[in-house]
């Protein structure tokens, strides 16, 4: 059955014959393997060109920034899944990645699109006017401003601060970083709340300043988090806590439905 | 409800307060972010110590080796999933990772355990005796020898060859590499088949020679493949082929069940 | 770390002690198991009340309608995943479900919300005015009209026709079915295209007429498709085609990137 | 690239043309939709024949038995995932299903294979001899006996007891139920532990007595659990607790790694 009207019949990522594997035009074994680091290779896979040192440095920094932050929900989901299904490490990693969505981690892409929009409009007016317009339009349709506010890091998100330093040290242009700062400065007036820029706005700010493709922004937390999930699942093999997490979580929730006469509540 | 008899109540990966995020004892923003690359950070997350240059080099090489090999089944599953559910990039990545199982990619871990077993037993006898014993035991219970043979690369898997070179250039000990070669040499006699070492044996060989934890071996293809999946899904945004793949696949399969009288077969 | 401002601390679905499991107020073993069918139980789990016969009949019909339609993309993804990772049936089912998204199958919920909107507004004007307004607003913001058009069933989607008959036979009110028909009648004029109602509009039409909760609409295709995925994976155990599907799909796609000098294209 | 040596090129589940959808030889809209319930259809999808009333009754009973048991780990994983990624209900369901593995729920299949083995060998000796042999062999290779013991229901698993009653009421043969009881009777002597038969042994016992295919046993908890996950996710929409669960779980775990000098532990 034909679904959709897809017109393309080609892919430009890889081809191979019995002796040689080509990735984006280069011989994987002859030109890449052992010669480029994984971060450079990721950039190359996504864009088709090798990163400049400043680009690699910033991609490295964002991946390091977002990989690990303790027993966050996606890590808990992965550890519970692994405890229940130890035959499939890939399933536990997948369960963890499924929690990298619009509310958590996925904000990197929506924040990036917002910043790109601010930068684009600033070219036609000025940064403050552009940022005010973009934020106001979001507010008018009751959409949140992605990338600002954090449940724990209220003063500032130390990862955001540090990412901006790294981008500056690397000598990158700062259009998107300035846009991100401008949005932060406007939020108290436009939303009535003091919301600090968090890592989900800082990541797209520095990556877009480096020329990273906006459509791959959501991939950065996914890639970083995969590393962290593997580390947690390695720890889970040695010190399993998946069911301990679940037991503690379950005890925090009361049953609020009816019970038949005579039923005695126990440890459900 | 208490499931299992888990005794642990702790995790050693990360903690934080409002200002500082600690990862395995280091201050994420002060000591790591902007100072270490992602590959080094992955090694650190998994082991708690920073890699030596040779260790980082080999981990980089394995990640580069295994990330991308064209429209393999897991990539196809991810692209079809993304075409059907573009609202959730994480779901398409997860669908792709779920196909990194015991038959494809997951062999890295089972091959690693086999090589580690050979190396351990070689300490008590010699390499050939140890490899013969390990392979023969597998054959006796009709288990396959993971990491040997490839559908396309029949002469040699160029990635395996190159990974061994990289490990040698990096100056790593070669216990597991020699074990892998020994197994390859024995296979024609013990299995009746000429099966070349593929990338799924080469990856654990070089990583175990570098001191990488065996329980995290399966994580290497998962992490590498995540990068490739993101690159494919970025391409899918611009040049969608998910439904084209599915249409072509469907046409290769006949319906072999009964049909009611009068039913005319069409393009199902 | 506290994420979000969730105020609830309770759940009303189930509690238990060592002897008794309560589900929504009933004793699972004493009042439900062996006494109610699975479809009735699904309705009860979702709503807290047992379905009337007409409600059960329509839920059964929608589940039967949407479960199986051959080697659709999600089934292919599941079969490829199972071929690569046979150790985890649950992973293959999960990979299949991940392809039940906004473009395929997931349209049931968005179509349901559209129909509910039409019915609500019709109370304030009349059906045609309401449907015209709802469709026009979607068109104005360039959103598609979910639940209309089908790649294969162009004359009519036979499942949609039959579902409407079943709902009529069951004696259900027809507010949402009439809304669905009204939208279909308006589409040629409002969109310039003759798009027939497909099963993704018919399912919410009959279910909402039966009082099914709109927030669970997307669950109906997911539940139905799970059954079909299990049937396909059972067949895959006996007659594996996962890699055949992938091979055929891969051959439909050309590599369109550069190659190094001297590279000879083969069967990638 | 050709992977594996798959010989099949056909599937017997479904075909269609523009007017008609055939499922296992029957016209979906003319012969099935509105005429058979979902449970019957599931049996038909899996086996190609419509179930006898006793078969349908037992399949219904097992699906009802296993669908819902409160905030078990897979439900928690799904609710956390949905809270973080509300754009993809299918992702939250998939995350929940990924936790239906060898330790939890997945035991139905391994228990079924054990019971089928006992029944087969009993034909060559007697039930007690066969069960003793099968259990002893498992013990000899230090494998657990799947389907016995429960963290909460220690006296008896009320679902197991009730399923056996339902199967008896339905008039099914009792070979596998007797095998399950025989294994239970032998466990104190053979394992030194009083382990009661739980629902994961009772489900395959009654289903195999009904002629259900052993390769689809694991699908029963997956299908049943999908219904429960959808009910929990519908509740999560109205009364979100996903992050509450995660917060409580996180508080149960201490960080046991080093910290830099001066770091003050907070609420991580």
């Amino acid at each position: 059955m034909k679904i959709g009207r897809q017109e393309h019949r080609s892919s430009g990522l890889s081809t191979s014959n019995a002796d040689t594997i080509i990735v984006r035009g280069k011989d994987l074994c002859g030109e890449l393997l052992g010669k480029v680091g994984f971060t450079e290779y990721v950039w190359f896979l996504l864009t088709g060109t090798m990163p400049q040192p400043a680009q690699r440095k910033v991609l490295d920094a964002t991946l390091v920034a977002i990989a690990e932050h303790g027993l966050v929900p996606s890590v808990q989901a992965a550890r519970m899944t692994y405890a229940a299904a130890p035959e499939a490490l890939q399933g536990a990693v997948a369960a963890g990645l499924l929690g990298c969505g619009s509310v958590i981690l996925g904000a990197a892409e929506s924040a990036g699109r917002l910043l790109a929009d601010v930068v684009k409009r600033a070219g036609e007016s000025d940064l403050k006017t552009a940022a005010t317009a973009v934020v106001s339009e979001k507010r008018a349709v009751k959409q949140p401003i992605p990338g600002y506010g954090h449940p724990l890091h209220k003063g500032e998100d130390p990862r955001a601060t540090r990412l901006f330093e790294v981008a500056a040290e690397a000598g990158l242009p700062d259009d998107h970083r300035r846009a991100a700062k401008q949005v932060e400065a406007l939020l108290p007036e436009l939303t009535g709340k003091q919301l600090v820029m968090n890592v989900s706005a800082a990541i797209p700010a520095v990556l877009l300043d480096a020329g990273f493709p906006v459509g791959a922004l959501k991939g950065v937390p996914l890639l970083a988090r995969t590393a962290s999930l593997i580390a947690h699942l390695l720890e889970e093999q040695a010190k399993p806590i998946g069911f301990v997490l679940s037991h503690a979580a379950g005890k925090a929730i009361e049953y609020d439905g009816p019970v038949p006469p005579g039923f005695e509540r126990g440890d459900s």
Side-chain angles (χ1 to χ4, degrees), chain A residues 167-224:
Chain A
E169 288 161 21
L172 289 172
D174 66 353
D175 293 356
H176 297 86
R177 302 204 296 287
R178 285 174 52 233
K181 280 292 185 193
Q182 179 64 72
V183 168
E184 188 183 43
L186 289 166
L187 286 181
E189 190 189 323
L190 295 179
T191 71
K193 278 180 241 165
Q194 187 89 34
L195 293 167
V196 297
M197 177 175 48
N198 64 39
V199 74
S200 287
I203 284 175
V206 301
L207 284 174
L208 293 177
D209 279 341
F212 192 81
V214 69
L217 280 174
K218 209 180 168 186
V220 171
L222 287 171
L223 180 59

Side-chain angles (χ1 to χ4, degrees), chain A residues 93-105:
Chain A
V93 173
L97 291 185
L98 289 169
C100 301
S102 57
V103 173
I104 297 191
L105 288 176

Side-chain angles (χ1 to χ4, degrees), chain A residues 222-236:
Chain A
L222 287 171
L223 180 59
R225 192 48 54 101
T226 301
S228 161
L229 289 168
I230 293 162
H232 275 280
L233 296 172
L234 180 64
E235 187 185 69
E236 182 75 19

Side-chain angles (χ1 to χ4, degrees), chain A residues 53-167:
Chain A
Q55 292 174 319
R56 185 200 52 70
K57 199 176 164 63
V58 159
L59 179 54
D60 264 329
T62 56
L63 289 167
V64 170
I66 200 70
E68 171 61 27
H69 201 259
L71 293 165
V72 293
S74 59
V75 165
Q76 294 183 7
R79 291 185 78 145
M80 288 182 197
T81 301
Y82 194 58
E87 72 277 18
L89 185 79
Q90 73 273 20
V93 173
L97 291 185
L98 289 169
C100 301
S102 57
V103 173
I104 297 191
L105 288 176
E109 183 184 352
S110 44
R113 295 197 183 276
L114 180 142
L115 298 179
D117 193 13
V118 171
V119 169
K120 193 184 147 212
R121 296 204 208 176
E124 299 149 17
S125 55
D126 65 280
L127 191 59
K128 190 171 176 185
T129 307
T132 305
V134 168
V135 171
S136 302
E137 287 168 23
K138 283 261 175 199
R139 297 284 298 169
V141 292
K142 289 174 203 290
Q143 285 186 353
I145 311 302
Y148 294 85
H150 194 278
L152 173 62
H153 307 296
K154 290 189 193 302
E156 62 173 33
D157 184 332
R159 299 166 295 179
T161 309
R162 181 70 187 122
L163 282 174
F164 272 46
E165 290 171 12
V166 171

